Amino acid sequence: MTKQLNTSKSNSLKTSDQVKLILQEQGLSKVFNYNEYRLFRARAKRAFNKAQAVAKMFIEEYQNESDLLEYEF
């Protein structure tokens, strides 16, 4: 049983990877950097979902710099 628990833990994404995925979905993949990530993570230390909270902070900070603005539709 311990072996099963360890393998499921290793398959989960790190918080930084989750934040990157959320930002990518929002078209803000280029704004991620580890300095601000560490700052936002410290601010969100009591949040239930840290990845969502950190991603929200990035989105609020960089809402006008979407990757999607570069594409013609």
Side-chain angles (χ1 to χ4, degrees):
M1 182 145 180
T2 305
K3 191 172 187 176
Q4 283 181 321
L5 293 175
N6 290 338
T7 56
S8 65
K9 285 183 181 180
S10 66
N11 289 339
S12 64
L13 292 174
K14 296 186 301 185
T15 304
S16 60
D17 292 337
Q18 293 175 6
V19 171
K20 288 177 190 178
L21 286 173
I22 294 168
L23 292 176
Q24 184 177 9
E25 290 171 357
Q26 298 293 318
L28 293 168
S29 58
K30 67 181 178 183
V31 301
F32 182 87
N33 67 66
Y34 279 99
N35 290 330
E36 285 184 307
Y37 167 74
R38 287 186 203 101
L39 173 68
F40 293 154
R41 186 183 65 191
R43 290 181 184 169
K45 69 180 177 181
R46 293 184 182 231
F48 177 73
N49 186 335
K50 287 184 176 92
Q52 285 286 3
V54 171
K56 183 178 177 183
M57 290 179 204
F58 269 108
I59 292 168
E60 289 172 355
E61 185 77 22
Y62 294 102
Q63 61 189 347
N64 295 326
E65 297 187 28
S66 175
D67 296 340
L68 301 175
L69 296 174
E70 298 175 7
Y71 295 103
E72 291 183 29
F73 293 99

